[in-house]
Structure formats: structure tokens, C-alpha cells
Amino acid sequence: MSKPSLLPVVIGTGFGAGFWPWGPGTAGAVLATAIWFLLSACLDWMQLLAVVTLLILVFTYLGTWATAKLMPFWGDDPSRVVVDEMVGVWIPLLLAGTWWQALLALLLFRFFDIVKPLGIRSFDRRKGAFWVMFDDILAGIYSAIVLYLIILIGAWVG
């Protein structure tokens, strides 16, 4: 049997994070959060916002492409494909301005990604590379909403 090409493997597995045996989705989300931390140390807030937005758009496209290339080899929603978790966690990280908000974004995203409430599960059941990405995008949107409310309440109370 043939093997998938290297480029879709590298992109789809989040530069190899998807091969982590104990929670590959968490490994992908942690890697994306680490990338955010690195970028936040080097860029001002507006630059960070622009770069992370660009990462979301580019990796949504590349992730959909890579997932479509990998599905014939690894199945419909392979656990090794974690680029969707990377894109998903970058969405609430758009709102993070402190290290604790970034960690909260990661925790909220993993909650919504694992529990799959509020319609996420219905998208997770759909077949196709786009849907592999979309359920995590939706988890990221829900995480961003909750994070925004927490930040808003914190500013109001504090």
C-alpha cells in the first residue's frame, strides 16, 4: 500500500504533534498556543492580531487540503490530523492579551472540542475534510465568545 505525501502529513499532523500518543488533539492545541506565546513576545498587539488571523485563514485552507489528501490513507477523521485543533485554538487566542487569557483560551477550546456541545457534534459527524476543520472552528468561536465574556466581566468587576 502506498503512503501519503510528506507535505500533507507535515501540515495535517501539525508539524508532527499529531503523532503524540497521549492526546494528539491536545498536543496540536498546545503547539498552536506555544506559537501564539512566541509571536506575542515578538510582536505588538496589532501585529499579533494580523499574524494570527493570517495563520487561521492559511491553515484552514491548507488543513482542509492536507486532510483531504490524508483521509484515503488514515480514514475519515484521523486522530493524527491536528491542524484543525491548531486553527480552532487560534480563534480565541485572537482575544487574549495576557498569559492567563491565553491559557484560558486553550482550556476553553479543549472543553468545547472534547465535549462538542451546541451543535458541534452534528458537524463532527459529517464526512469530508472541510467538516473535520469546521467543528474545531466552531469550538474556537464558542471558546472566543466565552473568553470575551470572561474578559468583559473581569474588566467590569475589576
Side-chain angles (χ1 to χ4, degrees):
M1 176 170 218
S2 61
K3 294 182 348 183
S5 299
L6 180 61
L7 187 58
V9 171
V10 169
I11 293 168
T13 64
F15 309 102
F19 291 113
W20 181 255
W22 305 284
T26 299
V30 167
L31 173 62
T33 304
I35 291 169
W36 180 91
F37 272 111
L38 179 67
L39 291 171
S40 72
C42 302
L43 304 172
D44 67 39
W45 186 80
M46 287 301 292
Q47 293 169 330
L48 180 63
L49 186 65
V51 170
V52 174
T53 300
L54 185 62
L55 287 172
I56 291 167
L57 295 173
V58 168
F59 278 90
T60 296
Y61 176 79
L62 290 176
T64 302
W65 169 81
T67 301
K69 295 289 185 186
L70 294 170
M71 288 171 71
F73 298 95
W74 294 350
D76 286 335
D77 191 357
S79 62
R80 288 179 276 196
V81 171
V82 299
V83 66
D84 50 334
E85 277 85 2
M86 294 176 72
V87 168
V89 78
W90 280 327
I91 294 170
L93 284 169
L94 288 170
L95 303 176
T98 66
W99 67 268
W100 70 265
Q101 290 170 353
L103 291 179
L104 187 55
L106 173 63
L107 293 173
L108 286 168
F109 172 73
R110 287 308 291 151
F111 168 79
F112 282 104
D113 186 33
I114 292 167
V115 176
K116 300 189 184 312
L118 304 170
I120 297 171
R121 186 163 313 282
S122 67
F123 290 109
D124 184 53
R125 290 185 185 129
R126 295 187 182 195
K127 302 291 184 210
F130 174 76
W131 301 111
V132 170
M133 297 296 296
F134 186 76
D135 72 296
D136 291 279
I137 290 169
L138 189 55
I141 291 169
Y142 289 155
S143 302
I145 292 168
V146 173
L147 180 62
Y148 177 75
L149 292 173
I150 291 169
I151 293 169
L152 197 63
I153 291 167
W156 182 65
V157 171

